[in-house]
Amino acid sequence: MKILYIFVGSNSCIINIMTENEFRLLFDTNPKNLQYKRQIVEYLVDNGPETLPVLARFLGVSVPTISKLVGELVDHGLLRNFGKLEASTGRHPFLFGLTDKDFYFLGVDFSSEHISFVLMDFSGNQVHSQMDIPFRFANTKECLNTICNEVNNYMDHEIDVPRHSIVSIGINILGRLNPHTGYSYTYFNFEGTPLATYFTNTFGIPTFIDNDSRAAAYGEYMLHYRQKGENLLFVHATWGLGLGIIINGEPYAGKSGFSGEFGHTHCYENEVICHCGKKGCLETEASGRAMHRKFIERVKQGDRSIITDSGKKIEDITLDDLIEATLKEDMLCIEILEEVGEQLGLHLANLINIFNPHVVVIGGPLAQVGDYLIHPIQSAIRKYSLNMVNQDTELKQSILLRYAGVMGACMLARKKAIASLTD
Protein backbone atom coordinates (compact mmCIF):
# COMPACT_ATOMS: atom_id res chain seq x y z
CA MET A 1 0.00 0.00 0.00
CA LYS A 2 1.00 3.61 -0.56
CA ILE A 3 0.48 6.40 1.98
CA LEU A 4 -1.24 9.54 0.65
CA TYR A 5 -2.07 12.85 2.31
CA ILE A 6 -5.49 14.07 1.20
CA PHE A 7 -6.66 17.65 1.70
CA VAL A 8 -10.39 18.44 1.55
CA GLY A 9 -10.99 22.09 2.35
CA SER A 10 -8.97 22.89 5.45
CA ASN A 11 -8.90 19.29 6.69
CA SER A 12 -6.30 16.63 5.94
CA CYS A 13 -6.05 12.92 6.55
CA ILE A 14 -3.64 10.06 5.87
CA ILE A 15 -4.99 7.07 3.92
CA ASN A 16 -3.77 3.85 2.36
CA ILE A 17 -4.36 3.31 -1.34
CA MET A 18 -3.85 0.41 -3.71
CA THR A 19 -1.14 1.12 -6.28
CA GLU A 20 -1.39 0.05 -9.90
CA ASN A 21 1.53 -2.33 -9.38
CA GLU A 22 -0.17 -3.98 -6.39
CA PHE A 23 -3.25 -4.65 -8.53
CA ARG A 24 -1.02 -6.20 -11.18
CA LEU A 25 0.73 -8.41 -8.59
CA LEU A 26 -2.65 -9.86 -7.62
CA PHE A 27 -2.78 -11.34 -11.12
CA ASP A 28 0.80 -12.59 -11.65
CA THR A 29 4.46 -11.60 -12.09
CA ASN A 30 5.05 -13.93 -15.03
CA PRO A 31 4.30 -11.99 -18.27
CA LYS A 32 2.79 -15.00 -20.07
CA ASN A 33 0.57 -15.94 -17.13
CA LEU A 34 -0.38 -12.29 -16.71
CA GLN A 35 -1.53 -12.18 -20.34
CA TYR A 36 -3.58 -15.35 -19.89
CA LYS A 37 -5.17 -14.09 -16.69
CA ARG A 38 -6.04 -10.77 -18.27
CA GLN A 39 -7.77 -12.64 -21.10
CA ILE A 40 -9.67 -14.81 -18.61
CA VAL A 41 -10.95 -11.76 -16.74
CA GLU A 42 -11.87 -9.92 -19.96
CA TYR A 43 -13.77 -12.98 -21.15
CA LEU A 44 -15.72 -13.17 -17.88
CA VAL A 45 -16.45 -9.43 -18.03
CA ASP A 46 -17.99 -9.86 -21.48
CA ASN A 47 -19.68 -13.24 -21.05
CA GLY A 48 -20.34 -13.83 -17.36
CA PRO A 49 -19.48 -16.95 -15.31
CA GLU A 50 -18.07 -19.88 -17.29
CA THR A 51 -16.68 -23.41 -16.86
CA LEU A 52 -13.03 -24.41 -17.03
CA PRO A 53 -13.39 -26.41 -20.28
CA VAL A 54 -14.92 -23.41 -22.07
CA LEU A 55 -12.19 -21.09 -20.77
CA ALA A 56 -9.54 -23.60 -21.82
CA ARG A 57 -10.93 -23.70 -25.38
CA PHE A 58 -11.09 -19.90 -25.47
CA LEU A 59 -7.40 -19.56 -24.51
CA GLY A 60 -6.23 -22.62 -26.42
CA VAL A 61 -4.67 -24.23 -23.35
CA SER A 62 -5.21 -27.49 -21.48
CA VAL A 63 -7.79 -27.87 -18.72
CA PRO A 64 -5.05 -28.47 -16.08
CA THR A 65 -3.39 -25.19 -17.16
CA ILE A 66 -6.63 -23.21 -17.00
CA SER A 67 -7.45 -24.84 -13.66
CA LYS A 68 -4.12 -23.60 -12.25
CA LEU A 69 -4.60 -20.06 -13.61
CA VAL A 70 -8.20 -19.76 -12.43
CA GLY A 71 -7.29 -21.27 -9.05
CA GLU A 72 -4.66 -18.58 -8.51
CA LEU A 73 -7.14 -15.85 -9.43
CA VAL A 74 -9.60 -17.34 -6.93
CA ASP A 75 -6.89 -17.47 -4.24
CA HIS A 76 -6.18 -13.76 -4.78
CA GLY A 77 -9.86 -12.88 -4.48
CA LEU A 78 -10.35 -11.78 -8.11
CA LEU A 79 -12.63 -14.68 -9.11
CA ARG A 80 -15.01 -16.89 -7.17
CA ASN A 81 -16.51 -20.34 -7.55
CA PHE A 82 -20.24 -20.13 -8.33
CA GLY A 83 -20.80 -23.84 -7.71
CA LYS A 84 -21.64 -26.65 -10.10
CA LEU A 85 -23.43 -26.05 -13.40
CA GLU A 86 -26.65 -28.00 -13.68
CA ALA A 87 -26.40 -30.56 -16.48
CA SER A 88 -28.75 -33.34 -17.61
CA THR A 89 -25.94 -35.82 -18.26
CA GLY A 90 -22.30 -36.34 -17.38
CA ARG A 91 -20.25 -34.58 -14.75
CA HIS A 92 -21.38 -31.23 -13.44
CA PRO A 93 -18.55 -28.71 -14.08
CA PHE A 94 -17.92 -25.76 -11.77
CA LEU A 95 -18.72 -22.20 -12.85
CA PHE A 96 -16.22 -19.42 -12.18
CA GLY A 97 -16.87 -15.70 -12.39
CA LEU A 98 -15.78 -12.29 -11.16
CA THR A 99 -15.87 -11.54 -7.45
CA ASP A 100 -18.27 -8.91 -6.12
CA LYS A 101 -16.05 -8.01 -3.15
CA ASP A 102 -12.82 -6.16 -2.35
CA PHE A 103 -12.25 -4.46 -5.73
CA TYR A 104 -14.22 -1.39 -6.80
CA PHE A 105 -14.35 1.19 -9.57
CA LEU A 106 -15.60 4.76 -9.28
CA GLY A 107 -17.39 6.60 -12.08
CA VAL A 108 -17.72 10.40 -12.15
CA ASP A 109 -19.94 12.29 -14.58
CA PHE A 110 -20.85 15.96 -14.64
CA SER A 111 -22.94 18.39 -16.64
CA SER A 112 -23.10 22.16 -16.52
CA GLU A 113 -25.17 22.04 -13.31
CA HIS A 114 -24.67 18.64 -11.64
CA ILE A 115 -22.03 16.08 -10.72
CA SER A 116 -22.81 12.40 -10.15
CA PHE A 117 -21.00 9.39 -8.68
CA VAL A 118 -21.46 5.63 -8.94
CA LEU A 119 -19.35 2.97 -7.22
CA MET A 120 -19.25 -0.41 -9.00
CA ASP A 121 -17.83 -3.73 -7.84
CA PHE A 122 -15.56 -5.98 -9.92
CA SER A 123 -18.47 -7.99 -11.32
CA GLY A 124 -20.27 -4.86 -12.55
CA ASN A 125 -22.88 -4.37 -9.83
CA GLN A 126 -23.75 -0.87 -8.68
CA VAL A 127 -22.78 -0.63 -5.02
CA HIS A 128 -23.58 3.01 -4.27
CA SER A 129 -24.63 6.12 -6.14
CA GLN A 130 -25.03 9.81 -5.48
CA MET A 131 -26.68 11.57 -8.38
CA ASP A 132 -27.22 15.18 -9.47
CA ILE A 133 -25.26 16.97 -6.76
CA PRO A 134 -25.57 20.74 -7.45
CA PHE A 135 -22.45 21.91 -9.23
CA ARG A 136 -21.57 24.80 -11.52
CA PHE A 137 -19.23 23.93 -14.36
CA ALA A 138 -16.64 26.44 -15.58
CA ASN A 139 -13.35 26.08 -17.39
CA THR A 140 -11.34 27.37 -14.44
CA LYS A 141 -8.78 26.07 -11.97
CA GLU A 142 -11.29 26.73 -9.20
CA CYS A 143 -13.82 24.40 -10.85
CA LEU A 144 -11.15 21.73 -11.30
CA ASN A 145 -10.34 22.00 -7.59
CA THR A 146 -14.05 21.69 -6.80
CA ILE A 147 -14.29 18.47 -8.82
CA CYS A 148 -11.27 17.04 -6.98
CA ASN A 149 -12.73 18.00 -3.61
CA GLU A 150 -16.10 16.45 -4.49
CA VAL A 151 -14.43 13.19 -5.57
CA ASN A 152 -12.30 13.05 -2.42
CA ASN A 153 -15.31 13.82 -0.24
CA TYR A 154 -17.34 11.06 -1.91
CA MET A 155 -14.63 8.45 -1.40
CA ASP A 156 -13.86 9.44 2.19
CA HIS A 157 -17.30 10.29 3.59
CA GLU A 158 -20.15 8.98 1.43
CA ILE A 159 -19.31 5.29 0.96
CA ASP A 160 -18.50 2.43 3.32
CA VAL A 161 -15.90 0.91 0.98
CA PRO A 162 -12.32 1.63 2.14
CA ARG A 163 -10.47 3.88 -0.23
CA HIS A 164 -7.63 1.36 -0.75
CA SER A 165 -10.19 -1.01 -2.35
CA ILE A 166 -10.89 1.40 -5.22
CA VAL A 167 -8.77 0.11 -8.10
CA SER A 168 -9.37 2.95 -10.57
CA ILE A 169 -11.53 5.99 -11.32
CA GLY A 170 -13.19 6.98 -14.59
CA ILE A 171 -14.09 10.64 -15.12
CA ASN A 172 -16.19 11.85 -18.06
CA ILE A 173 -15.06 15.14 -19.56
CA LEU A 174 -16.97 17.34 -21.99
CA GLY A 175 -15.44 18.29 -25.33
CA ARG A 176 -12.39 17.00 -27.14
CA LEU A 177 -9.86 14.85 -25.36
CA ASN A 178 -7.53 11.95 -26.01
CA PRO A 179 -8.34 8.98 -23.75
CA HIS A 180 -5.09 7.26 -24.75
CA THR A 181 -2.76 10.07 -23.63
CA GLY A 182 -5.06 11.53 -20.97
CA TYR A 183 -4.97 15.07 -22.40
CA SER A 184 -8.09 17.25 -22.44
CA TYR A 185 -8.01 19.97 -25.09
CA THR A 186 -11.35 21.75 -24.68
CA TYR A 187 -11.47 22.08 -20.90
CA PHE A 188 -8.99 22.13 -17.98
CA ASN A 189 -6.04 22.39 -20.31
CA PHE A 190 -3.94 24.56 -18.01
CA GLU A 191 -1.74 21.96 -16.33
CA GLY A 192 1.63 20.94 -17.75
CA THR A 193 0.71 17.27 -17.35
CA PRO A 194 -2.18 15.34 -18.92
CA LEU A 195 -5.43 15.84 -17.06
CA ALA A 196 -5.68 12.10 -16.31
CA THR A 197 -2.21 12.23 -14.73
CA TYR A 198 -3.20 15.28 -12.70
CA PHE A 199 -6.23 13.41 -11.35
CA THR A 200 -4.14 10.30 -10.67
CA ASN A 201 -1.60 12.31 -8.68
CA THR A 202 -4.34 14.15 -6.79
CA PHE A 203 -6.32 11.05 -5.77
CA GLY A 204 -3.43 8.62 -5.60
CA ILE A 205 -5.56 6.17 -7.63
CA PRO A 206 -5.16 5.40 -11.36
CA THR A 207 -7.65 7.71 -13.05
CA PHE A 208 -8.79 7.64 -16.67
CA ILE A 209 -10.70 10.28 -18.61
CA ASP A 210 -12.99 9.83 -21.57
CA ASN A 211 -15.58 11.72 -23.56
CA ASP A 212 -19.01 11.82 -21.91
CA SER A 213 -20.87 10.56 -25.02
CA ARG A 214 -18.45 7.66 -25.55
CA ALA A 215 -18.74 6.65 -21.89
CA ALA A 216 -22.54 6.75 -22.06
CA ALA A 217 -22.47 4.59 -25.19
CA TYR A 218 -20.26 2.01 -23.48
CA GLY A 219 -22.43 1.94 -20.35
CA GLU A 220 -25.59 1.40 -22.37
CA TYR A 221 -23.90 -1.25 -24.50
CA MET A 222 -22.38 -3.23 -21.64
CA LEU A 223 -25.46 -3.25 -19.44
CA HIS A 224 -28.28 -3.62 -21.96
CA TYR A 225 -27.36 -4.10 -25.61
CA ARG A 226 -24.46 -6.57 -25.89
CA GLN A 227 -26.87 -9.37 -26.75
CA LYS A 228 -28.30 -7.41 -29.69
CA GLY A 229 -24.99 -7.09 -31.50
CA GLU A 230 -21.53 -5.57 -31.32
CA ASN A 231 -22.17 -2.29 -33.20
CA LEU A 232 -24.04 0.54 -31.54
CA LEU A 233 -24.49 4.29 -32.02
CA PHE A 234 -25.44 6.33 -28.96
CA VAL A 235 -26.90 9.78 -29.70
CA HIS A 236 -26.25 12.03 -26.72
CA ALA A 237 -29.01 14.63 -26.99
CA THR A 238 -28.19 17.21 -24.35
CA TRP A 239 -27.83 20.99 -24.63
CA GLY A 240 -25.51 20.04 -27.49
CA LEU A 241 -25.37 16.86 -29.57
CA GLY A 242 -22.76 14.13 -29.20
CA LEU A 243 -22.25 10.64 -30.56
CA GLY A 244 -20.76 7.56 -28.92
CA ILE A 245 -19.66 4.78 -31.27
CA ILE A 246 -19.24 1.10 -30.38
CA ILE A 247 -17.66 -1.05 -33.11
CA ASN A 248 -17.13 -4.79 -32.62
CA GLY A 249 -17.90 -4.33 -28.94
CA GLU A 250 -15.21 -1.70 -28.40
CA PRO A 251 -15.56 2.08 -27.90
CA TYR A 252 -14.31 3.83 -31.03
CA ALA A 253 -12.25 6.92 -30.24
CA GLY A 254 -10.52 7.55 -33.57
CA LYS A 255 -6.86 8.45 -34.05
CA SER A 256 -6.72 11.18 -31.41
CA GLY A 257 -9.90 10.54 -29.45
CA PHE A 258 -11.99 13.11 -31.31
CA SER A 259 -14.57 10.78 -32.91
CA GLY A 260 -18.28 11.41 -32.45
CA GLU A 261 -18.50 15.13 -33.21
CA PHE A 262 -21.88 14.51 -34.83
CA GLY A 263 -23.35 17.82 -33.66
CA HIS A 264 -20.66 19.81 -35.46
CA THR A 265 -21.18 18.39 -38.94
CA HIS A 266 -22.19 21.19 -41.30
CA CYS A 267 -25.80 20.66 -42.38
CA TYR A 268 -27.50 24.04 -42.83
CA GLU A 269 -27.17 27.48 -44.36
CA ASN A 270 -29.16 28.94 -41.48
CA GLU A 271 -26.65 31.56 -40.31
CA VAL A 272 -27.10 30.35 -36.74
CA ILE A 273 -23.77 30.47 -34.94
CA CYS A 274 -22.98 27.28 -33.04
CA HIS A 275 -21.13 27.46 -29.72
CA CYS A 276 -18.10 26.04 -31.57
CA GLY A 277 -17.97 29.35 -33.49
CA LYS A 278 -19.07 28.00 -36.88
CA LYS A 279 -22.41 28.42 -38.64
CA GLY A 280 -24.86 25.76 -39.73
CA CYS A 281 -23.82 22.88 -37.45
CA LEU A 282 -26.36 20.08 -36.96
CA GLU A 283 -26.86 20.94 -33.32
CA THR A 284 -28.12 24.41 -34.28
CA GLU A 285 -31.35 22.66 -35.41
CA ALA A 286 -31.27 19.32 -33.56
CA SER A 287 -30.31 19.64 -29.88
CA GLY A 288 -31.50 20.97 -26.55
CA ARG A 289 -30.01 24.33 -27.47
CA ALA A 290 -32.02 24.35 -30.71
CA MET A 291 -35.22 23.45 -28.89
CA HIS A 292 -34.63 26.23 -26.37
CA ARG A 293 -33.91 28.82 -29.09
CA LYS A 294 -36.97 27.84 -31.13
CA PHE A 295 -39.17 27.94 -28.03
CA ILE A 296 -38.07 31.47 -27.14
CA GLU A 297 -38.62 32.61 -30.73
CA ARG A 298 -42.13 31.14 -30.82
CA VAL A 299 -43.11 32.67 -27.46
CA LYS A 300 -41.90 36.08 -28.64
CA GLN A 301 -44.08 35.62 -31.72
CA GLY A 302 -47.12 35.15 -29.48
CA ASP A 303 -47.37 31.37 -29.03
CA ARG A 304 -48.53 30.17 -25.64
CA SER A 305 -47.10 27.54 -23.32
CA ILE A 306 -47.87 26.29 -19.83
CA ILE A 307 -44.38 27.52 -18.92
CA THR A 308 -45.08 31.16 -19.71
CA ASP A 309 -48.69 30.89 -18.52
CA SER A 310 -47.28 30.00 -15.11
CA GLY A 311 -45.57 33.39 -15.01
CA LYS A 312 -41.98 32.25 -15.58
CA LYS A 313 -39.82 34.86 -17.28
CA ILE A 314 -38.37 33.99 -20.69
CA GLU A 315 -34.78 34.57 -19.55
CA ASP A 316 -35.25 32.05 -16.71
CA ILE A 317 -36.53 29.15 -18.86
CA THR A 318 -34.21 26.13 -18.88
CA LEU A 319 -34.03 22.92 -20.88
CA ASP A 320 -35.35 21.06 -17.83
CA ASP A 321 -38.43 23.31 -17.95
CA LEU A 322 -39.02 22.39 -21.61
CA ILE A 323 -38.64 18.67 -20.88
CA GLU A 324 -41.04 18.87 -17.93
CA ALA A 325 -43.59 20.82 -20.00
CA THR A 326 -43.36 18.26 -22.82
CA LEU A 327 -44.16 15.46 -20.38
CA LYS A 328 -47.20 17.53 -19.32
CA GLU A 329 -48.32 17.57 -22.99
CA ASP A 330 -47.47 21.20 -23.69
CA MET A 331 -48.37 21.53 -27.38
CA LEU A 332 -45.73 24.15 -28.21
CA CYS A 333 -42.93 22.02 -26.80
CA ILE A 334 -44.27 18.93 -28.58
CA GLU A 335 -44.41 20.78 -31.93
CA ILE A 336 -40.82 22.00 -31.55
CA LEU A 337 -39.63 18.54 -30.53
CA GLU A 338 -41.16 17.10 -33.68
CA GLU A 339 -39.09 19.55 -35.72
CA VAL A 340 -35.95 18.71 -33.75
CA GLY A 341 -36.63 14.97 -34.02
CA GLU A 342 -37.20 15.11 -37.77
CA GLN A 343 -33.91 16.92 -38.34
CA LEU A 344 -32.07 14.52 -36.05
CA GLY A 345 -33.64 11.51 -37.78
CA LEU A 346 -32.73 12.84 -41.23
CA HIS A 347 -29.04 12.99 -40.38
CA LEU A 348 -29.13 9.80 -38.34
CA ALA A 349 -30.34 8.11 -41.53
CA ASN A 350 -26.99 9.04 -43.08
CA LEU A 351 -25.11 7.44 -40.18
CA ILE A 352 -27.22 4.30 -40.43
CA ASN A 353 -26.42 4.08 -44.13
CA ILE A 354 -22.71 4.42 -43.33
CA PHE A 355 -22.36 2.24 -40.19
CA ASN A 356 -25.19 -0.30 -40.57
CA PRO A 357 -25.34 -0.64 -36.74
CA HIS A 358 -27.33 -3.21 -34.79
CA VAL A 359 -28.79 -0.55 -32.48
CA VAL A 360 -29.15 3.24 -32.35
CA VAL A 361 -29.82 4.47 -28.80
CA ILE A 362 -31.21 7.94 -28.11
CA GLY A 363 -29.90 9.17 -24.76
CA GLY A 364 -29.21 12.34 -22.83
CA PRO A 365 -31.76 14.65 -21.15
CA LEU A 366 -33.93 14.98 -24.27
CA ALA A 367 -34.45 11.20 -24.28
CA GLN A 368 -36.56 11.61 -21.13
CA VAL A 369 -39.49 12.74 -23.30
CA GLY A 370 -39.66 9.29 -24.86
CA ASP A 371 -41.93 8.87 -27.89
CA TYR A 372 -42.34 12.62 -28.36
CA LEU A 373 -38.78 12.53 -29.70
CA ILE A 374 -38.41 8.88 -30.78
CA HIS A 375 -41.40 8.86 -33.16
CA PRO A 376 -40.30 11.77 -35.38
CA ILE A 377 -36.74 10.37 -35.42
CA GLN A 378 -38.05 6.95 -36.48
CA SER A 379 -40.26 8.46 -39.16
CA ALA A 380 -37.36 10.45 -40.65
CA ILE A 381 -35.02 7.44 -40.57
CA ARG A 382 -37.55 5.38 -42.52
CA LYS A 383 -38.00 8.21 -45.00
CA TYR A 384 -34.33 9.03 -45.64
CA SER A 385 -32.32 5.82 -45.13
CA LEU A 386 -32.10 2.77 -47.38
CA ASN A 387 -34.84 0.25 -46.56
CA MET A 388 -32.56 -2.78 -46.38
CA VAL A 389 -30.19 -0.91 -44.10
CA ASN A 390 -32.69 0.61 -41.66
CA GLN A 391 -34.49 -2.72 -41.31
CA ASP A 392 -31.24 -4.06 -39.83
CA THR A 393 -31.18 -1.38 -37.14
CA GLU A 394 -33.27 -1.04 -33.98
CA LEU A 395 -33.98 2.45 -32.64
CA LYS A 396 -34.21 2.51 -28.85
CA GLN A 397 -34.63 5.02 -26.06
CA SER A 398 -31.82 4.89 -23.49
CA ILE A 399 -32.61 2.51 -20.66
CA LEU A 400 -30.04 3.97 -18.27
CA LEU A 401 -30.97 7.60 -19.04
CA ARG A 402 -29.15 9.82 -16.49
CA TYR A 403 -27.12 6.82 -15.26
CA ALA A 404 -25.68 6.06 -18.73
CA GLY A 405 -22.65 8.34 -18.48
CA VAL A 406 -21.64 7.56 -14.92
CA MET A 407 -22.14 3.79 -15.31
CA GLY A 408 -20.11 3.98 -18.52
CA ALA A 409 -17.36 5.75 -16.59
CA CYS A 410 -17.29 2.83 -14.11
CA MET A 411 -17.21 0.27 -16.91
CA LEU A 412 -14.39 2.09 -18.70
CA ALA A 413 -12.42 2.43 -15.44
CA ARG A 414 -12.59 -1.35 -14.99
CA LYS A 415 -11.82 -2.04 -18.67
CA LYS A 416 -8.78 0.25 -18.70
CA ALA A 417 -7.47 -1.02 -15.36
CA ILE A 418 -7.55 -4.58 -16.70
CA ALA A 419 -6.00 -3.54 -20.03
CA SER A 420 -3.18 -1.71 -18.23
CA LEU A 421 -2.04 -4.99 -16.63
CA THR A 422 -0.08 -5.91 -19.75
CA ASP A 423 0.59 -2.45 -21.23
Side-chain angles (χ1 to χ4, degrees), residues 43-110:
Y43 181 93
L44 295 175
V45 165
D46 289 337
N47 300 283
E50 196 48 89
T51 63
L52 294 179
V54 171
L55 291 172
R57 285 196 296 272
F58 169 69
L59 287 181
V61 299
S62 67
V63 172
T65 297
I66 202 71
S67 180
K68 176 179 179 294
L69 294 170
V70 169
E72 290 172 356
L73 289 170
V74 171
D75 290 341
H76 287 131
L78 294 159
L79 303 185
R80 68 185 178 97
N81 189 331
F82 281 71
K84 289 186 176 182
L85 175 67
E86 292 297 325
S88 57
T89 60
R91 299 178 62 182
H92 294 212
F94 286 98
L95 276 174
F96 294 89
L98 301 175
T99 183
D100 57 1
K101 299 177 181 178
D102 300 328
F103 306 101
Y104 299 90
F105 303 87
L106 174 62
V108 183
D109 185 59
F110 57 85

Side-chain angles (χ1 to χ4, degrees), residues 21-37 68-69 72-73 76 78 421-422:
N21 190 52
E22 285 172 329
F23 184 58
R24 181 181 285 108
L25 290 176
L26 287 171
F27 281 76
D28 214 301
T29 55
N30 181 291
K32 186 174 182 179
N33 288 346
L34 184 60
Q35 181 65 43
Y36 278 145
K37 290 179 179 178
K68 176 179 179 294
L69 294 170
E72 290 172 356
L73 289 170
H76 287 131
L78 294 159
L421 292 170
T422 53

Side-chain angles (χ1 to χ4, degrees), residues 74-314:
V74 171
D75 290 341
H76 287 131
L78 294 159
L79 303 185
R80 68 185 178 97
N81 189 331
F82 281 71
K84 289 186 176 182
L85 175 67
E86 292 297 325
S88 57
T89 60
R91 299 178 62 182
H92 294 212
F94 286 98
L95 276 174
F96 294 89
L98 301 175
T99 183
D100 57 1
K101 299 177 181 178
D102 300 328
F103 306 101
Y104 299 90
F105 303 87
L106 174 62
V108 183
D109 185 59
F110 57 85
S111 64
S112 59
E113 297 180 344
H114 302 99
I115 187 167
S116 299
F117 301 95
V118 164
L119 188 71
M120 183 187 83
D121 66 27
F122 199 37
S123 61
N125 300 311
Q126 181 179 314
V127 176
H128 185 273
S129 67
Q130 191 172 12
M131 302 295 292
D132 300 330
I133 302 166
F135 162 83
R136 180 63 62 183
F137 176 78
N139 188 28
T140 64
K141 187 63 183 291
E142 290 72 26
C143 180
L144 180 59
N145 289 337
T146 297
I147 292 171
C148 292
N149 287 338
E150 291 284 357
V151 173
N152 278 323
N153 181 71
Y154 180 79
M155 290 191 288
D156 295 334
H157 301 291
E158 301 297 334
I159 56 177
D160 295 329
V161 170
R163 187 168 177 143
H164 63 75
S165 293
I166 299 176
V167 175
S168 63
I169 302 171
I171 300 181
N172 297 338
I173 302 292
L174 310 172
R176 281 165 288 284
L177 58 85
N178 189 326
H180 310 301
T181 64
Y183 276 100
S184 173
Y185 299 101
T186 306
Y187 299 111
F188 304 139
N189 190 19
F190 28 70
E191 294 292 334
T193 57
L195 182 60
T197 302
Y198 175 82
F199 283 138
T200 296
N201 293 339
T202 299
F203 306 134
I205 298 172
T207 303
F208 307 97
I209 64 170
D210 216 320
N211 175 265
D212 57 335
S213 298
R214 190 156 46 242
Y218 192 63
E220 203 79 46
Y221 170 77
M222 287 294 292
L223 291 171
H224 292 291
Y225 290 105
R226 276 186 298 170
Q227 305 308 315
K228 290 187 176 293
E230 294 185 324
N231 303 302
L232 174 146
L233 299 179
F234 181 92
V235 179
H236 203 198
T238 63
W239 186 248
L241 186 67
L243 181 71
I245 306 168
I246 305 294
I247 298 179
N248 296 329
E250 296 291 329
Y252 178 75
K255 177 187 174 183
S256 301
F258 304 156
S259 71
E261 292 292 348
F262 184 40
H264 297 297
T265 52
H266 182 82
C267 300
Y268 309 104
E269 298 297 333
N270 59 8
E271 296 301 307
V272 178
I273 299 177
C274 179
H275 77 97
C276 72
K278 299 183 182 297
K279 296 180 180 179
C281 290
L282 174 58
E283 70 177 50
T284 63
E285 299 292 340
S287 66
R289 180 183 284 104
M291 182 185 182
H292 186 269
R293 188 192 76 245
K294 290 172 181 285
F295 180 87
I296 299 302
E297 290 173 352
R298 292 280 295 271
V299 168
K300 287 182 177 179
Q301 292 168 6
D303 287 300
R304 293 186 61 182
S305 164
I306 59 175
I307 299 175
T308 50
D309 287 349
S310 70
K312 191 155 193 173
K313 296 179 181 180
I314 289 180

Side-chain angles (χ1 to χ4, degrees), residues 268 283-308 317-319 321-323 325-326 329-345 366 369 371-374 376-377:
Y268 309 104
E283 70 177 50
T284 63
E285 299 292 340
S287 66
R289 180 183 284 104
M291 182 185 182
H292 186 269
R293 188 192 76 245
K294 290 172 181 285
F295 180 87
I296 299 302
E297 290 173 352
R298 292 280 295 271
V299 168
K300 287 182 177 179
Q301 292 168 6
D303 287 300
R304 293 186 61 182
S305 164
I306 59 175
I307 299 175
T308 50
I317 295 172
T318 66
L319 181 59
D321 293 328
L322 301 182
I323 292 169
T326 302
E329 300 184 348
D330 181 87
M331 290 309 301
L332 178 58
C333 288
I334 291 172
E335 286 178 21
I336 295 171
L337 258 178
E338 286 179 354
E339 297 174 14
V340 168
E342 182 179 5
Q343 289 302 309
L344 184 52
L366 283 185
V369 302
D371 288 343
Y372 290 120
L373 181 63
I374 299 296
I377 291 175

